[in-house]
Amino acid sequence: TLLRSLRMRRTIHLVAVAFLLSLAGCADGYQKSGGEWCYVIINTGSGRTATPLNADDRTFVVLDDKDYAKDSTSVFYLGERIKNADPDTFRLLDAPRFARDEKSVFLLGHSVIGVDPDTFRVIDGVYGRDASRIYCGTVPMEVENMEGFTVLTYDSCVGIAYGKESFVSRYGDSFADLEVSREQPAVIDSQWAHDGVAYYYGPGKVVGA
């Protein structure tokens, strides 16, 4: 069990490192370029890249969390449109990196799977809960004792997983029906938690602990 846990820790750190490397360059944020709104990145070696958003200039606004912006038809995170986000009801939550609209909760621009936004609250870091489930980032967990669930550490190492096969291999067959893909990646963290019955690392239960 200890060896499995150490392998899980190493794996999630590698996922996070890969994610950070994929962001090559330094974001300069939402700016106007050539009279239209763009998302600007300063790339080492290649200079400044301004990607047009095709946003409505009249209604475009950058939110208090500068990674998010919206206009009358779309919501953006780091310059990418958030799939199915409703700009009319979209707002930031009182927790870093989280937001919601009428039907969904979002973390780093990705939707939390199956969540009830009206009862959702953040527990610690990227762990949260609604009336019926505990979530590690965007992933619903199988927790035996919700009321006893406590995050034990906050060695935050947020990562994004894009492959279902590797995700199930790391965290168990309970995630066999979870969609993990480029279209629906899993945003997760590497914290330890327990509920008085079992221990959890990231979204997965540690078997035998």
Side-chain angles (χ1 to χ4, degrees):
T1 299
L2 177 59
L3 179 58
R4 180 173 182 270
S5 298
L6 290 173
R7 285 173 176 166
M8 289 173 70
R9 175 181 283 273
R10 180 175 181 274
T11 297
I12 191 63
H13 276 270
L14 290 175
V15 171
V17 169
F19 168 61
L20 291 174
L21 289 176
S22 73
L23 297 178
C26 178
D28 209 19
Y30 299 97
Q31 299 180 20
K32 271 196 169 181
S33 180
E36 65 177 318
W37 283 101
C38 299
Y39 191 75
V40 177
I41 294 177
I42 308 299
N43 296 292
T44 303
S46 60
R48 182 178 183 270
T49 300
T51 302
L53 301 175
N54 297 318
D56 176 25
D57 182 67
R58 183 179 60 84
T59 59
F60 186 84
V61 59
V62 180
L63 303 184
D64 288 342
D65 179 339
K66 304 302 182 185
D67 292 337
Y68 286 98
K70 68 177 184 176
D71 64 9
S72 60
T73 61
S74 301
V75 181
F76 302 88
Y77 179 76
L78 297 180
E80 298 288 336
R81 277 183 169 81
I82 301 177
K83 183 180 179 181
N84 298 326
D86 174 26
D88 290 336
T89 60
F90 189 89
R91 62 181 176 84
L92 301 176
L93 294 183
D94 189 20
R97 300 171 288 192
F98 280 96
R100 65 160 290 185
D101 64 11
E102 185 178 22
K103 296 181 179 179
S104 302
V105 173
F106 303 94
L107 173 62
L108 303 183
H110 298 288
S111 58
V112 179
I113 299 168
V115 71
D116 173 19
D118 291 331
T119 61
F120 179 82
R121 63 178 177 83
V122 176
I123 299 171
D124 193 355
V126 301
Y127 283 87
R129 64 166 293 173
D130 61 13
S132 59
R133 300 291 293 271
I134 301 285
Y135 301 85
C136 176
T138 63
V139 176
M141 298 174 61
E142 297 295 334
V143 172
E144 297 191 36
N145 176 22
M146 282 185 59
E147 300 310 316
F149 186 85
T150 304
V151 179
L152 299 175
T153 62
Y154 188 61
D155 180 19
S156 183
C157 188
V158 180
I160 299 182
Y162 296 96
K164 178 175 179 177
E165 184 177 346
S166 59
F167 190 89
V168 172
S169 175
R170 291 165 191 155
Y171 296 112
D173 292 338
S174 63
F175 297 106
D177 295 330
L178 181 73
E179 181 184 353
V180 182
S181 64
R182 284 282 169 184
E183 293 71 31
Q184 179 66 67
V187 182
I188 49 179
D189 205 337
S190 60
Q191 299 178 54
W192 285 92
H194 78 156
D195 62 1
V197 180
Y199 281 87
Y200 305 86
Y201 185 72
K205 183 185 296 183
V206 181
V207 178

